[in-house]
Amino acid sequence: DFERYTHFDYFMMPGGDQAVNEPWRMALSCLFRYFGSDYDYGSLKLFNLVGERRLETVSRMLVHGINSPLTCGAGRLFDAVSALLLPCTESKFDAEAPMRLESAACTSTEEYYPYVLNKTVSLEAMFAEMLKELEHPDVPDIAARFHNTVAHIILDVCIRIRRETGLKRVVLSGGVFQNRYLLEKSLYLLIMNKFRVYTNHLVPANDGGVSLGQLLVAAERRGKCA
């Protein structure tokens, strides 16, 4: 069986799959989630590149919840930060924005952004600090600290689960762990805190492995597993 312990706050995906092709939509959605419609989005370089008309159209979608399914997936969060920081307005191939963000990250800092972990993981404080830094951005440093933040959230959640259940084994899987920076940082923090950590070797970490895991759970529940 399984239990979902926590997750990132939900964000709207304005335009559905179009938000994957145009990461600036997720950047707008994340900021809208925490700072509402009164924030001066036109002051950010990213949204000047997008153009006033498209910005206004997607903003209305967020305000009224039109064609904007919810997501809390890490991939969309990486899309949003990549769009804000680089900026990346359109993806020409799958996961381009997260890959560009990973490439931009330096490895010289251990610092990370603030966040709040309760029933969900709130990144309002992270985005607030990041917005201040975008006025004169140190792109490699901001990218690295964002990755460090996600790794520390993983560690924080695992420590809380261990405290409550005694579990010490951690499996890192899902498409986000194709990101080498995040994988290595998470492994280091977890191992230093005495967790036994497992990663993908025989099946992919992304959708192929996720689908296999879902199949195994379904088979177990139907009594089909050998």
Side-chain angles (χ1 to χ4, degrees), residues 72-85:
C72 61
R76 304 292 72 77
L77 180 61
F78 275 73
D79 282 346
V81 175
S82 179
L84 281 170
L85 187 57

Side-chain angles (χ1 to χ4, degrees), residues 16-120:
D17 287 343
Q18 192 62 23
V20 179
N21 300 325
E22 299 180 356
W24 68 268
R25 292 175 181 244
M26 286 311 305
L28 181 62
S29 177
C30 289
L31 299 184
F32 180 84
R33 169 71 168 75
Y34 292 127
F35 309 114
S37 56
D38 292 335
Y39 185 82
D40 183 14
Y41 296 102
S43 65
L44 298 177
K45 178 181 178 181
L46 169 65
F47 301 123
N48 285 325
L49 292 174
V50 167
E52 185 176 346
R53 185 173 179 179
R54 286 205 294 171
L55 178 61
E56 184 178 340
T57 299
V58 175
S59 295
R60 285 202 301 269
M61 293 172 67
L62 293 170
V63 169
H64 299 290
I66 300 170
N67 190 23
S68 298
L70 296 176
T71 181
C72 61
R76 304 292 72 77
L77 180 61
F78 275 73
D79 282 346
V81 175
S82 179
L84 281 170
L85 187 57
L86 294 177
C88 180
T89 58
E90 295 184 5
S91 291
K92 295 180 175 61
F93 55 86
D94 186 46
E96 177 183 359
M99 289 171 66
R100 289 179 60 184
L101 186 63
E102 179 188 5
S103 297
C106 71
T107 57
S108 61
T109 181
E110 298 298 324
E111 294 183 4
Y112 56 96
Y113 290 106
Y115 60 89
V116 176
L117 172 57
N118 288 316
K119 289 185 178 180
T120 62

